[in-house]
Amino acid sequence: MAKSTTKFFTGFFTIVILAFILLFMGPLYIVNEGNQVVITRFGSIVDTHTEAGLYFKIPFLDQVTTYSKLVLSLDGDEQRIPTKENQFIIVDTTSRWRISDPAKFYQSFTNIDNAYNRLSDIIDSSTRTVITQNRLSEIVRSSNGINEEKNNEVQADDEDTKEIEALVNTNVENELITKGRSVLCKEMLAEANKLVPEYGIELIDILPRQIKYSDELTESVFNRMIKDRNQVAQAYRSRGEGKKAEWLGRLESDKRSISSEAYKKSEEIKGNADAQAASIYASAYNKDPEFYNFWKSMESYKTNLKDYKATYSTNMDYFKYLYNAEGRR
């Protein structure tokens, strides 16, 4: 009886200890919300779990690798890439992605760091492929809004501005955008998605974080901007000089016209005055011809003789009123 009891307790404690050891080795594991796991046994995948919960594994044999189900980001390195015009720009991108198939992802990379390296190469390659096939204006702009706004300004302005705009050759500003940066981003994504699904990855988007001109292109762009602004300034100056000449011509024509009209009116007034004076003189002469002759002679003496200090002969009809004692002959 006593031996049976001892064997029972011995067996019971053995079972409890084994159970404790089993629990201590972790036959159960938890998949948290936002995570997914891959179960491997001897290096081979035996199971995957993408839903949160409590799961069982074989201790010592099964290995649990946990990945995030959340959207992850990847910031690329700067790349020096030529555009379709062979103008070099510096581009770095940012991307969003997530693990869509943990089994494929484990077979391809095992860990996140390896995935980052491979995914970065794929994104850089797709970015370079798309940028080299498109013009610079397509990469840095998303629409023709600038051109449309500029056209509206020209339509709302006067004719002079329209003529000036016609003279100015703004190559970059007037380029028609057929795709734009947003479409190119979709093309980059499509190019990258040709490869990433086989790695168990879903690539959500690729966006240029910044686009910078290379050093040699920066100088070229600045020189072109200066040239364009000088061209605009020269167009305004030329138009101003033309307007100045036009207005000066109008001014001179108006001046001649006004002077001619004024001279015509003055001559008419003088003619009328002379006619009126002649009429008055004639009327006065007819009333007393002798007095008229006397008065005119006095006016002539007053005007002419003041400049002469001596008169050597007065035996002239001109002096008939000056040296005649009666004032007449």
Side-chain angles (χ1 to χ4, degrees), residues 94-224:
T94 182
S95 309
R96 294 185 301 163
W97 64 284
R98 59 172 164 251
I99 300 172
S100 58
D101 189 330
K104 287 184 178 180
F105 185 85
Y106 181 87
Q107 290 173 341
S108 302
F109 306 115
T110 305
N111 58 62
I112 293 290
D113 291 336
N114 293 336
Y116 276 137
N117 293 333
R118 179 57 181 150
L119 189 58
S120 180
D121 291 340
I122 294 174
I123 292 173
D124 289 348
S125 176
S126 63
T127 301
R128 178 178 293 273
T129 299
V130 172
I131 287 179
T132 54
Q133 295 174 353
N134 291 274
R135 294 180 287 112
L136 177 63
S137 57
E138 298 280 1
I139 300 164
V140 299
R141 288 162 56 187
S142 296
S143 68
N144 288 300
I146 294 177
N147 289 337
E148 293 171 359
E149 182 178 351
K150 188 172 182 181
N151 291 335
N152 292 335
E153 290 177 356
V154 172
Q155 292 174 4
D157 212 336
D158 56 16
E159 292 297 328
D160 293 342
T161 303
K162 292 182 181 180
E163 293 181 15
I164 291 172
E165 291 295 336
L167 294 174
V168 178
N169 181 22
T170 52
N171 294 326
V172 175
E173 294 179 352
N174 291 331
E175 285 183 349
L176 181 63
I177 305 301
T178 57
K179 294 181 180 179
R181 186 169 55 201
S182 57
V183 174
L184 296 188
C185 290
K186 294 179 180 178
E187 291 183 359
M188 295 176 193
L189 179 63
E191 185 72 21
N193 275 330
K194 295 177 181 179
L195 298 176
V196 295
E198 67 183 59
Y199 300 128
I201 291 175
E202 178 188 358
L203 190 58
I204 300 173
D205 56 25
I206 302 175
L207 299 173
R209 188 169 54 178
Q210 64 174 343
I211 299 174
K212 298 187 297 184
Y213 297 132
S214 60
D215 292 340
E216 62 272 17
L217 181 57
T218 298
E219 183 177 358
S220 173
V221 170
F222 285 166
N223 290 337
R224 184 175 61 186

Side-chain angles (χ1 to χ4, degrees), residues 248-259:
L248 287 177
R250 290 182 184 179
L251 178 62
E252 189 64 28
S253 177
D254 292 344
K255 178 182 176 181
R256 287 195 299 266
S257 177
I258 293 172
S259 298

Side-chain angles (χ1 to χ4, degrees), residues 11 60 71 91 93 104 116 160 213 231 240 242 248-249 263 305 319:
F60 297 111
V71 175
V91 182
T93 60
K104 287 184 178 180
Y116 276 137
D160 293 342
Y213 297 132
Q231 190 175 10
L248 287 177
Y263 179 77
L305 295 182
F319 295 103

Side-chain angles (χ1 to χ4, degrees), residues 267-284:
E267 291 300 312
E268 290 178 354
I269 293 172
K270 288 180 180 179
N272 293 332
D274 289 342
Q276 292 179 11
S279 177
I280 293 172
Y281 286 141
S283 177

